[in-house]
């Protein structure tokens, strides 16, 4: 009887020993955590165009202009010119504008028949960084509908991730190192000559078209004339068939208007008219339209005390 009792005690101790080991192993090896592998959605939202006039793309908070300079193209963003200097052989140009908080992603698309080339940029705090480029081809376009293109964009640490979707399916994915290639911006605020602070209502780009030959139907005889007003500078810009020029103007706010005079040449030609007058007149608003009375324009385009109606882009 004593031997049986001892055997039972030994058996009980063995059972307790193995049970304790099992519990310890379970504590050391917890069940694996199942990770969510679902594809991340884009933090950046595609913005809707308000208008599109040629190479000018207007949004609620941004105006983009793709500007041709010989064989190269630069980008103007809210009147700030960035020297992107890219080559675009495509006949159709487009802007994809994405926004997330203070970050802006801009995809410049050159579209031809068999595909599109994209140039990606990151705009933050009015600084523009080139990310890189990629191509989406559709070589069998004759036998299928054009792709429906979408992009999911995220920023992860020091990289911008751009995932292309074609007809809703993931396609090309690129990861670009950020804040490396900063694009140089044209400096138009050299010794700005602004007396006092101009009211916010005057800031923006004003433009019209003028010609020296009113009988001509040739578009090459028509100039685009712009007045670009910022908080620290006013620039007179003329874009002609054979070239362009920019003058920095002095500005002071007067009753219901702005008085303008010539200050210096930023680039381009010095016209003969400048030797006769430096008076760039007065910009004013009548409650409905913006008008510009400008002796310089009168002399250059052979007009007589004309009020030029200007279109304003904020």
């Amino acid at each position: 009887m004593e031997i049986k009792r001892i055997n039972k005690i030994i058996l009980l101790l063995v059972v307790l020993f193995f049970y304790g080991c099992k519990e310890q192993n379970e504590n050391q090896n917890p069940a694996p955590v199942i990770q969510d592998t679902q594809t991340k959605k884009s933090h950046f939202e595609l913005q809707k165009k308000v208008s599109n006039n040629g190479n000018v793309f207007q949004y609620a908070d941004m105006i983009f202009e793709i500007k041709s300079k010989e064989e190269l193209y630069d980008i103007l963003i809210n009147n700030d010119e960035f020297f992107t200097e890219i080559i675009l052989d495509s006949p159709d140009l487009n802007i994809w504008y994405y926004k997330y908080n203070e970050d802006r992603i801009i995809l410049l698309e050159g579209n031809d028949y068999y595909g599109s080339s994209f140039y990606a940029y990151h705009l933050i705090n009015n600084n523009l960084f080139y990310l890189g480029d990629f191509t989406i081809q559709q070589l069998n376009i004759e036998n299928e509908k054009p792709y429906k293109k979408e992009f999911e964009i995220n920023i992860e640490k020091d990289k911008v991730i751009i995932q292309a979707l074609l007809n809703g399916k993931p396609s090309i994915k690129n990861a670009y190192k950020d804040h490396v290639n900063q694009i140089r911006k044209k400096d138009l605020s050299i010794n700005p000559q602004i007396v006092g602070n101009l009211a916010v209502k005057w800031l923006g780009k004003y433009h019209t078209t003028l010609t020296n030959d009113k009988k001509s139907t040739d578009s090459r005889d028509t100039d685009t004339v712009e007045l670009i007003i910022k908080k620290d500078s006013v620039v007179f810009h003329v874009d002609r068939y054979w070239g362009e020029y920019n003058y920095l103007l002095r500005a002071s706010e007067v009753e219901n208007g702005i008085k303008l005079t010539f200050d210096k040449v930023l680039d381009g030609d010095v016209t003969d008219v400048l030797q006769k007058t430096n008076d760039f007149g007065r910009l004013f608003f009548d409650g409905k339209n913006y008008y510009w009375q400008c002796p310089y324009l009168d002399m250059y385009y052979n007009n007589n005390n004309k009020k030029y109606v200007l279109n304003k882009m904020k």
Side-chain angles (χ1 to χ4, degrees):
M1 295 294 292
E2 187 66 28
I3 294 175
K4 289 183 178 180
R5 182 183 299 175
I6 293 173
N7 288 338
K8 287 181 179 180
I9 293 173
I10 293 173
L11 180 60
L12 179 60
L13 291 174
V14 171
V15 171
L16 291 174
F17 174 79
F18 280 104
Y19 180 81
C21 290
K22 180 181 178 183
E23 184 177 14
Q24 185 178 12
N25 288 335
E26 287 178 348
N27 290 335
Q28 290 177 348
N29 298 285
V33 177
I34 300 175
Q35 295 182 344
D36 183 8
T37 58
Q38 185 177 5
T39 303
K40 292 182 179 179
K41 296 299 181 183
S42 175
H43 286 157
F44 286 81
E45 292 186 4
L46 179 64
Q47 304 300 296
K48 185 177 180 180
K49 290 188 187 78
V50 174
S51 65
N52 180 193
N53 182 15
N55 288 345
V56 178
F57 304 83
Q58 185 169 0
Y59 296 81
D61 64 335
M62 287 281 177
I63 299 174
F64 300 96
E65 181 179 350
I66 304 173
K67 182 179 179 182
S68 174
K69 193 174 183 180
E70 296 180 353
E71 296 181 354
L72 302 176
Y73 286 84
D74 294 334
I75 299 178
L76 277 78
I77 303 176
N78 286 351
N79 299 327
D80 286 327
E81 183 173 355
F82 292 89
F83 297 112
T84 51
E85 297 182 341
I86 56 178
I87 299 175
L88 292 171
D89 297 326
S90 306
D92 296 323
L93 303 178
N94 188 30
I95 290 284
W96 299 68
Y97 170 39
Y98 288 81
K99 182 167 69 171
Y100 175 64
N101 293 336
E102 298 301 317
D103 292 282
R104 311 286 191 267
I105 298 297
I106 302 154
L107 302 180
L108 172 56
E109 177 186 13
N111 181 34
D112 60 26
Y113 189 66
Y114 289 105
S116 295
S117 297
F118 290 86
Y119 297 84
Y121 299 89
H122 181 194
L123 179 69
I124 178 71
N125 297 328
N126 207 30
N127 294 310
L128 187 67
F129 297 89
Y130 174 64
L131 299 173
D133 60 88
F134 59 94
T135 301
I136 295 178
Q137 293 183 326
Q138 190 171 8
L139 302 179
N140 197 29
I141 186 66
E142 289 92 349
N143 301 315
E144 57 188 13
K145 293 181 179 179
Y147 291 141
K148 178 185 177 183
K149 297 188 285 285
E150 300 172 278
F151 299 96
E152 292 180 354
I153 303 175
N154 291 288
I155 294 180
E156 297 180 4
K157 295 183 179 179
D158 62 343
K159 292 184 179 179
V160 176
I161 313 297
I162 301 178
Q163 169 72 70
L165 294 93
L166 303 180
N167 297 332
K169 297 180 180 180
S171 178
I172 300 171
K173 184 177 183 179
N174 292 289
Y176 300 107
K177 197 168 182 64
D178 200 8
H179 294 95
V180 175
N181 300 312
Q182 184 168 1
I183 303 299
R184 186 168 57 92
K185 181 169 63 174
K186 189 171 186 176
D187 185 8
L188 297 181
S189 60
I190 305 172
N191 298 324
Q193 299 290 332
I194 294 182
V195 179
N197 295 318
L198 298 180
V200 174
K201 67 179 181 180
W202 297 112
L203 305 184
K205 177 192 284 188
Y206 304 79
H207 66 94
T208 188
T209 55
L210 297 171
T211 180
N212 271 317
D213 187 353
K214 297 178 177 58
K215 296 181 180 180
S216 174
T217 58
D218 191 338
S219 61
R220 292 175 295 182
D221 293 329
T222 300
D223 300 344
T224 298
V225 178
E226 296 178 341
L227 193 61
I228 304 169
I229 301 179
K230 301 181 182 180
K231 62 182 180 180
D232 59 356
S233 64
V234 177
V235 173
F236 172 70
H237 171 79
V238 176
D239 192 355
R240 303 168 297 180
Y241 174 73
W242 58 87
E244 60 183 59
Y245 60 90
N246 293 282
Y247 297 161
L248 188 68
L249 305 182
R250 296 188 182 96
S252 59
E253 195 161 0
V254 295
E255 183 179 357
N256 196 34
I258 298 177
K259 176 66 177 173
L260 301 166
T261 55
F262 172 79
D263 182 33
K264 65 174 63 176
V265 175
L266 293 175
D267 57 61
D269 300 336
V270 178
T271 65
D272 294 337
V273 176
L274 269 182
Q275 299 177 13
K276 301 176 182 178
T277 182
N278 65 355
D279 187 359
F280 277 73
R282 186 171 71 97
L283 173 70
F284 62 95
F285 183 61
D286 68 354
K288 183 178 180 181
N289 295 310
Y290 289 92
Y291 294 95
W292 190 8
Q293 290 178 320
C294 181
Y296 173 88
L297 292 180
D298 292 342
M299 295 181 67
Y300 190 90
Y301 292 100
N302 298 315
N303 293 318
N304 186 20
N305 294 325
K306 182 177 179 180
K307 289 194 303 184
Y308 303 93
V309 180
L310 300 181
N311 297 312
K312 182 182 180 184
M313 299 174 66
K314 294 182 179 180

